[in-house]
Amino acid sequence: MNNFLPETEQWLSLSQAADLLGVHSTTLRRWADGGQVPFMLTPGGHRRFALSDLNQFATNRRQAQMPSSLEQLWAERALTQTRQEISANKNEGWLTQYDDQVREQHRLLGRRLMGLTLQYISDPETNGALLKEARGIGEEYGRLAQQSNLPLTEALETTLRFRDMLVETAFQLPSTTAIKPEANLRLMRRINELLNVVQLAIAQVYEQQS
């Protein structure tokens, strides 16, 4: 990649581009290294991504996903359920203790975690890399909760609610669709595998500060 950045294009850093796509920066770096996402290098060796390329990549990914697949169906319903739950409980203590900046950080982390969960249940070939990303998200959750002076139990409550919503959504799929129970069981097992890593990472952050 050359280091000339055309001024007619809007360029984003690696972290900004990852946030835009709703993935961890290591995922975007892997896609870029594999030639899936174009990028350029600054004179200092930093990656820059064109906004138009990112938008095209996001569009291509959406079109490539099968709306009728088990994973996509689960993701659509889980996203709806998550938004409804957050809206219904927005005045509860575990949410009101966050200021606007921390709420926004949690929103971005939640979007990344949802995207990572969908990747994990869809792509069994990259378990190690995805679990490492899940650990990183858990550590970020833990640090945010500590900055807000939340006890560990309340910090874990957030992810427990998230887990419950995802598993409940998966549990309901066989009753509304023609999905075999064994396929749904694999889905729920992989959701739990990933979120176990997130919750353990949160607890480890607290242990390191004790």
Side-chain angles (χ1 to χ4, degrees):
M1 299 292 170
N2 63 48
N3 56 15
F4 173 71
L5 302 181
E7 296 182 0
T8 55
E9 182 62 77
Q10 182 177 349
W11 297 91
L12 280 69
S13 67
L14 178 66
S15 60
Q16 291 171 330
D19 284 344
L20 178 69
L21 295 175
V23 299
H24 195 276
S25 57
T26 55
T27 296
L28 178 55
R29 186 181 293 112
R30 184 171 67 247
W31 288 343
D33 289 342
Q36 295 171 265
V37 184
F39 69 94
M40 287 190 173
L41 293 176
T42 67
H46 300 290
R47 298 170 194 250
R48 293 293 181 268
F49 298 83
L51 180 59
S52 60
D53 288 335
L54 294 172
N55 288 335
Q56 184 62 51
F57 175 76
T59 299
N60 291 342
R61 285 192 75 215
R62 286 193 296 268
Q63 292 176 346
Q65 292 174 338
M66 294 294 292
S68 60
S69 70
L70 171 62
E71 295 84 2
Q72 189 63 23
L73 180 60
W74 167 81
E76 291 171 357
R77 296 193 180 185
L79 280 170
T80 299
Q81 179 70 16
T82 300
R83 289 170 182 147
Q84 291 174 345
E85 180 74 11
I86 291 174
S87 177
N89 297 281
K90 62 183 178 181
N91 294 320
E92 291 196 8
W94 65 281
L95 284 175
T96 57
Q97 295 193 52
Y98 297 130
D99 59 27
D100 289 341
Q101 181 180 2
V102 175
R103 282 173 183 263
E104 176 63 13
Q105 289 175 294
H106 266 273
R107 186 186 68 80
L108 293 174
L109 279 173
R111 188 169 68 176
R112 282 169 47 194
L113 182 56
M114 179 64 79
L116 185 64
T117 305
L118 179 57
Q119 283 183 264
Y120 188 72
I121 64 177
S122 304
D123 187 3
E125 300 301 322
T126 56
N127 286 356
L130 297 180
L131 290 177
K132 183 177 180 180
E133 292 181 26
R135 188 176 302 111
I137 290 176
E139 291 170 352
E140 291 184 57
Y141 267 124
R143 287 191 289 269
L144 278 175
Q146 282 194 323
Q147 291 169 12
S148 299
N149 297 316
L150 288 182
L152 176 58
T153 52
E154 291 190 32
L156 290 175
E157 181 183 0
T158 305
T159 55
L160 285 171
R161 286 172 176 266
F162 185 70
R163 178 200 293 269
D164 289 345
M165 285 185 286
L166 300 189
V167 172
E168 182 179 350
T169 302
F171 184 75
Q172 293 172 349
L173 286 178
S175 64
T176 57
T177 60
I179 294 175
K180 294 182 179 179
E182 56 269 26
N184 198 55
L185 179 61
R186 286 194 298 271
L187 174 64
M188 289 190 284
R189 182 180 294 120
R190 291 182 69 76
I191 291 170
N192 280 321
E193 286 173 355
L194 189 78
L195 294 180
N196 283 344
V197 172
V198 174
Q199 291 176 322
L200 285 173
I202 293 173
Q204 288 168 357
V205 168
Y206 274 75
E207 285 182 352
Q208 291 167 2
Q209 299 299 319
S210 61

